[in-house]
Amino acid sequence: QDKLVQSGGGLVQAGGSLRLSCAASGRTFSHYTMGWFRQALGKEREFVAAIRWPDGRPQYADSVKGRFTVSKDEAKNTLYLQMNSLKPEDTAVYYCARGVGVEIPQAYDDWGQGTQVTVSS
């Protein structure tokens, strides 16, 4: 069964750090773009970061460049999102996803269950 199971997240003060994890079962990361999206209350889901297939290069939304780092451990089939210098506007439910696109949610077929990240000011 293809699943993406997320962990991490929580409550942190502005300027703090959190790391999100996304463990894949079934299909691995091979031949897929692995991405992170977020959805704040009352807003649409937006792209955060991804590791593109096939070139394997990271891509980031402008709002998180220089603060967030996306990485993967293929031996563990796990995707990570290291979030530093967090801001209150980063507060959202974060989702990992597996697909064939990069920035468009519709290009992703499998989604994690979501995890809440709350940044207090």
Side-chain angles (χ1 to χ4, degrees), residues 19-55:
R19 189 176 80 157
L20 305 182
S21 300
C22 174
S25 61
R27 288 181 291 166
T28 65
F29 295 159
S30 299
H31 302 97
Y32 295 100
T33 290
M34 298 299 300
W36 289 99
F37 288 77
R38 66 187 181 188
Q39 189 165 16
L41 195 62
K43 295 187 177 181
E44 293 186 352
R45 192 167 297 190
E46 65 173 3
F47 171 75
V48 175
I51 296 181
R52 303 185 314 211
W53 183 83
D55 62 14

Side-chain angles (χ1 to χ4, degrees), residues 84-110:
N84 298 329
S85 301
L86 282 160
K87 304 175 182 180
E89 51 263 44
D90 295 319
T91 295
V93 177
Y94 283 71
Y95 298 89
C96 64
R98 175 170 49 202
V100 296
V102 182
E103 298 189 12
I104 303 173
Q106 292 83 355
Y108 291 78
D109 296 320
D110 299 315

Side-chain angles (χ1 to χ4, degrees), residues 5-10 18-22 83 113-117:
V5 179
Q6 296 178 226
S7 59
L18 286 172
R19 189 176 80 157
L20 305 182
S21 300
C22 174
M83 305 182 292
Q113 80 276 18
T115 186
Q116 178 70 46
V117 171

